[in-house]
Amino acid sequence: MINKKYATILAAFAVTCFVAGNAFAANGKFTVQADELDYDMKTGIAVGKGNVVLIQDNAKVTADNASYNSKTRSGVLSGNVVADRGTEHISCDEFRIENDDVFSAVGNAVLSKEGKRLLAPRVDYVKSRDYAETFGNWARLMDADGSTVSAVKIVYDGQSGIATANGGVTINSDARKLTGSADKAVYDTKKDGYVEMVGNATATQDGNTIKGEKLRLTNSNVVIADGNVHVTYIPQQEPKKEEKSLEKKEIAVVNKRTVIERA
């Protein structure tokens, strides 16, 4: 049987480790469950082993095990970690709490908020700045409209809505009918935002392709290109009175392809 102070310590742990650093309401009701609970009053370390469940109001955190040091305000959730509150979600193998402001989701990390999802082997998050940074050899940012940015590394600034992707960047957006690739990309996730691609940049939209050292694409379908620009443009065809086979239509489009090159 756990005492009231231990329950308070575990509640503090729940408050600290909530989804992406957003704390539970300080005065909300909470419950703590685990197969085994231990608290060392001397060290300030609380440990929950087996089927740990932390609940407060509309928020819930589950894990195989949990530990928290009330003196250093640091701790770890480990094993099948899942945290949810409203539209916010975290899942990972291990969730590390460095302090009240810095957190790390490690191992198959998925962080979701307001329709956006950030996936990577590891994601570090700074609550005060609403700043996330990925670590590992891959990362993926998925926007609410289904657009996806993949790269070796992604840094996302939640305050500005700007995501910066580096290394083998690929972009796929059904909403914009756009695919692209570059060495680096800056993606403004706001409604009227833009995509800026730098280094060996290529973008294809509605069958038209543009290449350059730097491309900037806006939601108004305006493309600004700089550096060794190469454009492949397929003009729109007028409807034909007589029906022809799909194969003939495709050949007609290819034969009308126009290539413009500018040094």
Side-chain angles (χ1 to χ4, degrees):
M1 183 175 180
I2 61 173
N3 60 34
K4 185 176 181 180
K5 183 170 183 178
Y6 178 71
T8 302
I9 293 298
L10 263 292
F13 172 75
V15 169
T16 305
C17 73
F18 178 60
V19 178
N22 288 310
F24 287 78
N27 59 353
K29 296 180 180 180
F30 61 82
T31 62
V32 181
Q33 302 174 21
D35 294 341
E36 182 180 341
L37 298 172
D38 295 300
Y39 176 60
D40 188 324
M41 296 182 66
K42 185 177 181 179
T43 62
I45 297 175
V47 177
K49 296 180 180 179
N51 300 307
V52 177
V53 181
L54 310 170
I55 299 174
Q56 187 171 21
D57 296 332
N58 65 337
K60 181 178 180 180
V61 181
T62 61
D64 293 341
N65 302 288
S67 64
Y68 181 71
N69 189 319
S70 61
K71 294 184 178 181
T72 63
R73 303 187 69 80
S74 61
V76 177
L77 285 161
S78 61
N80 302 302
V81 181
V82 177
D84 289 288
R85 179 187 180 189
T87 63
E88 298 165 299
H89 168 86
I90 281 180
S91 63
C92 56
D93 297 333
E94 184 175 273
F95 191 70
R96 302 172 185 171
I97 306 161
E98 301 297 329
N99 51 52
D100 289 346
D101 195 43
V102 180
F103 311 84
S104 297
V106 182
N108 302 306
V110 179
L111 278 70
S112 303
K113 184 176 181 181
E114 298 175 352
K116 296 180 177 64
R117 301 178 68 202
L118 182 60
L119 300 83
R122 170 175 170 170
V123 179
D124 285 4
Y125 182 82
V126 181
K127 180 177 65 172
S128 60
R129 297 167 54 197
D130 195 11
Y131 172 91
E133 182 176 358
T134 70
F135 295 87
N137 57 6
W138 67 273
R140 186 174 300 116
L141 176 65
M142 303 175 69
D143 207 347
D145 65 1
S147 301
T148 302
V149 178
S150 300
V152 174
K153 185 179 185 69
I154 295 177
V155 173
Y156 179 66
D157 185 333
Q159 294 180 346
S160 65
I162 300 295
T164 303
N166 283 282
V169 179
T170 60
I171 296 173
N172 193 316
S173 175
D174 291 338
R176 299 185 183 190
K177 299 179 181 179
L178 169 72
T179 60
S181 62
D183 297 333
K184 176 181 177 180
V186 178
Y187 178 38
D188 185 346
T189 63
K190 296 192 294 292
K191 183 178 179 180
D192 297 322
Y194 62 88
V195 178
E196 187 168 272
M197 306 165 65
V198 181
N200 301 303
T202 300
T204 300
Q205 191 172 41
D206 289 326
N208 305 312
T209 300
I210 184 167
K211 299 179 181 180
E213 285 306 306
K214 184 176 180 179
L215 304 178
R216 187 181 179 97
L217 300 89
T218 70
N219 277 337
S220 58
N221 292 326
V222 174
V223 180
I224 301 172
D226 291 310
N228 195 28
V229 178
H230 182 117
V231 179
T232 302
Y233 174 65
I234 302 175
Q236 296 292 321
Q237 288 184 290
E238 294 293 331
K240 295 183 178 180
K241 294 182 179 180
E242 297 182 3
E243 289 291 328
K244 294 187 177 181
S245 68
L246 178 61
E247 181 179 359
K248 290 182 179 179
K249 286 183 179 180
E250 289 178 343
I251 292 173
V253 171
V254 172
N255 288 341
K256 289 187 178 181
R257 179 172 293 173
T258 303
V259 178
I260 304 172
E261 294 188 44
R262 177 166 61 87

